[in-house]
Amino acid sequence: MRASRLLSVLLLLQSRGRMTAEELAAELEVSVRTVYRDIESLSAAGVPVYAERGRAGGYRLLDGYRTRLTGLTGEEAQSLPLAGLPDAAAELGLGTVLTAAQLKLYAALPEELRSRAGKVAERFVLDVPGWFRGIESLPLLAGVAQAVWDSRRVSVRYQRWDHSETNRVLEPLGLILKAGNWYLAARCAGVTRTYRVSRILSVEPGAVFERPADFDLTGYWREWSEQFERRMYPRVAVVRLSPLGRDLVPFYLGAVGARALRECRGTPDEDGWLRVELPVEPGAPALGELLRFGPELQVLEPADLRDQVAAAVGRMGAIYG
């Protein structure tokens, strides 16, 4: 543990130049006193690290000194695909591993490339969850992820959508993070299905299984998502949208509505209104989705949905009249 921390101190100074004891302590999540001891140990081992005094001072390595101890461990290599998702990496139990991997990569880069990489980190941030929704905090996620890494069966207690519970033996194939929610692709009784990780109530690891060589997680998720959308939006509403209504579609109807808007081949009329076919959910949810647009949307078809919207607007008018 301490040897790994000493290497981290060395790589931090190599990749970032001058750093104070307080900055090193914050980066390594240790006390300042521990940093002092680590610096002394590095110096005693012959590493040319020295302190600069003053307000702009700190620790730094002798100019030109570089270590080549930058090889990645297996865990660090596994964490690299999550380089832009530090919160997700932390949920998977790979937060500190990812930090170490990034640090080693920075240290191995030539000075010019390291400077460019630093500029990207300073100027761009990837924030995956939507507004008012964070990434789920899941205590069992790390255990599920470990089973995915190890190709190990798990016995789980799972809560269905109707809140009933069932026990299943799963062969985990992959994890997907979608809009702040984690999903597990896993085989159950020979059939690959998708499970919401937040509904997994318990996890018990089992025997190792043989992962199918031809399984493509990206392709599976794309196909499953398309099928899910078709199940969620089995109806089509023909509507007229004002210019403001079209701007509101991505916010109110998400990617499904935005795609329908892009695929529309019509042109706006003289008042700027456009006829669009929008996928909608069945029953009451469709009514609620369309009412959100207020006077910026007019339902044309189907007739029953048009009548429902008109009746709801009439009731609203009576309340406010």
Side-chain angles (χ1 to χ4, degrees), residues 18-23 51-59:
R18 184 188 299 109
M19 293 185 70
T20 66
E22 289 77 12
E23 289 171 339
E52 292 182 339
R53 307 297 180 183
R55 294 182 59 186
Y59 293 106

Side-chain angles (χ1 to χ4, degrees), residues 163-244:
H163 299 291
S164 64
E165 296 180 8
T166 183
N167 295 312
R168 295 182 181 177
V169 176
L170 305 180
E171 295 179 346
L173 301 175
L175 282 164
I176 304 102
L177 177 62
K178 171 71 171 179
N181 299 316
W182 284 98
Y183 296 88
L184 172 67
R187 286 192 308 191
C188 181
V191 180
T192 304
R193 296 185 173 91
T194 302
Y195 301 87
R196 179 82 171 258
V197 176
S198 62
R199 293 181 181 169
I200 297 178
L201 306 178
S202 66
V203 178
E204 292 293 335
V208 172
F209 68 93
E210 184 176 352
R211 181 183 175 87
D214 59 349
F215 179 73
D216 175 13
L217 181 61
T218 301
Y220 168 79
W221 180 252
R222 184 185 302 114
E223 181 179 350
W224 186 89
S225 298
E226 291 173 354
Q227 294 176 354
F228 178 74
E229 286 185 4
R230 285 194 291 269
R231 293 194 301 270
M232 284 290 294
Y233 302 96
R235 304 182 71 190
V236 172
V238 181
V239 305
R240 292 176 69 239
L241 285 164
S242 72
L244 175 57

